[in-house]
């Protein structure tokens, strides 16, 4: 069985040689180093997870989310060249979580937060991925939300959202109807509607891409 994740498929699409180095030659195990943008991203994701799943709605505020971020940050401060660089990344992280509190509905209770999933797409492909957040809409449909802490690209890559949609469509009685990237640095939400046709096309795309990889 071939295990397909958004990260894995995207790497192959961008650079098959990098895919070979990473997944076949395992060079990442030898040369991988902590990077400031990964450290910041991990802390922001962990902060938002706790903020929406552990903190009571009545206690959610800018000061509370900052407190959570600082707790996460103290546990891992790797990847920064010096204290000045760490401060710059820390300030960027604070801006993103403060924007979230000020511009998003912080009273929401997500159906899922940071859940890891594995499902069979075909007889020889397993889809796997960690979905940042799934909300249940008023009409009972599901809304996938994926947080992005880097710069917003000019063109949105929908394959990650489609993979998450395919995963949920096989695990939930109600299929997801829309999926969004929430770009915290840009303060933008980009949403796609998920139709049966879209998911069928995504399945064909993924199976064709796996064939190329194999």
């Amino acid at each position: 069985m071939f295990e397909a994740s958004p990260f894995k498929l995207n790497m192959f699409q961008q650079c098959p040689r990098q895919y070979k180095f990473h997944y076949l030659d395992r060079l990442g195990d030898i040369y991988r180093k902590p990077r400031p943008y990964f450290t910041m991203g991990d802390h922001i994701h962990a902060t938002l997870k706790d903020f929406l799943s552990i903190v009571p709605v009545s206690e959610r505020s800018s000061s509370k989310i900052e407190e959570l971020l600082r707790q996460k940050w103290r546990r891992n401060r790797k990847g920064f060249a010096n204290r000045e660089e760490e401060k710059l990344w820390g300030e960027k992280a604070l801006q993103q979580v403060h924007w979230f509190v000020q511009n998003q509905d912080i009273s929401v209770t997500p159906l899922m937060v940071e859940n890891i999933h594995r499902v069979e797409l075909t007889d020889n492909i397993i889809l796997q991925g960690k979905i940042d957040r799934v909300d249940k809409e008023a009409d009972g449909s599901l809304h996938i939300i994926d947080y992005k802490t880097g710069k917003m690209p000019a063109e949105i890559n929908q394959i990650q959202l489609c993979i998450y949609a395919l995963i949920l469509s096989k695990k939930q009685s109600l299929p997801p109807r829309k999926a969004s990237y929430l770009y915290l640095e840009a303060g933008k939400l980009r949403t796609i509607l998920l139709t049966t046709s879209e998911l069928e096309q995504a399945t064909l795309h993924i199976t064709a891409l796996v064939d190329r990889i194999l």
Side-chain angles (χ1 to χ4, degrees):
M1 295 287 282
F2 183 88
E3 297 185 354
S5 68
F7 181 82
K8 196 172 187 178
L9 297 180
N10 188 55
M11 180 181 290
F12 182 81
Q13 281 187 297
Q14 291 184 346
C15 181
R17 179 172 290 182
Q18 183 183 7
Y19 178 96
K20 177 183 180 296
F21 290 160
H22 186 86
Y23 286 103
L24 302 183
D25 300 333
R26 301 292 181 182
L27 297 183
D29 296 339
I30 302 172
Y31 297 107
R32 183 185 298 114
K33 295 180 181 179
R35 303 293 183 186
Y37 41 86
F38 287 141
T39 299
M40 183 196 75
D42 287 346
H43 292 332
I44 291 176
H45 279 75
T47 296
L48 294 177
K49 174 186 177 182
D50 286 358
F51 188 71
L52 294 181
S53 62
I54 296 176
V55 179
V57 173
S58 60
E59 298 178 17
R60 294 176 187 174
S61 63
S62 290
S63 59
K64 184 61 180 179
I65 204 168
E66 180 172 331
E67 176 188 333
L68 287 173
L69 178 64
R70 291 183 182 278
Q71 288 175 0
K72 308 297 181 189
W73 204 278
R74 284 194 290 270
R75 296 171 189 170
N76 176 15
R77 301 170 64 179
K78 297 178 180 178
F80 306 106
N82 49 52
R83 292 298 297 274
E84 288 73 22
E85 184 181 55
E86 181 182 358
K87 182 180 178 182
L88 289 174
W89 285 98
E91 289 173 347
K92 182 180 293 190
L94 282 173
Q95 289 173 0
Q96 294 192 21
V97 298
H98 283 160
W99 177 88
F100 181 86
V101 170
Q102 294 162 8
N103 295 276
Q104 296 296 296
D105 179 8
I106 60 172
S107 67
V108 67
T109 301
L111 180 66
M112 304 177 194
V113 180
E114 298 264 355
N115 289 45
I116 299 175
H117 304 271
R118 284 171 55 89
V119 300
E120 287 190 14
L121 179 66
T122 66
D123 291 340
N124 68 327
I125 300 175
I126 290 178
L127 291 182
Q128 61 181 11
K130 182 166 68 173
I131 304 177
D132 290 343
R133 175 175 149 197
V134 180
D135 289 355
K136 192 170 185 178
E137 304 284 273
D139 63 357
S141 64
L142 303 183
H143 181 192
I144 299 166
I145 299 175
D146 188 74
Y147 302 127
K148 296 298 185 186
T149 57
K151 294 187 180 298
M152 186 172 71
E155 185 175 343
I156 304 301
N157 183 355
Q158 298 184 5
I159 189 62
Q160 180 179 3
L161 296 179
C162 287
I163 287 177
Y164 292 159
L166 287 168
I167 288 173
L168 287 183
S169 67
K170 292 180 176 295
K171 299 192 72 171
Q172 299 291 317
S173 56
L174 291 172
R177 296 300 182 195
K178 60 182 180 179
S180 303
Y181 289 128
L182 182 57
Y183 292 94
L184 297 164
E185 181 177 295
K188 300 288 185 181
L189 186 74
R190 291 290 180 264
T191 301
I192 62 171
L193 298 180
L194 301 167
T195 64
T196 301
S197 176
E198 289 273 358
L199 296 184
E200 289 174 350
Q201 289 297 317
T203 300
L204 293 174
H205 175 77
I206 292 166
T207 53
L209 193 55
V210 170
D211 284 344
R212 288 175 55 201
I213 293 172
L214 294 176

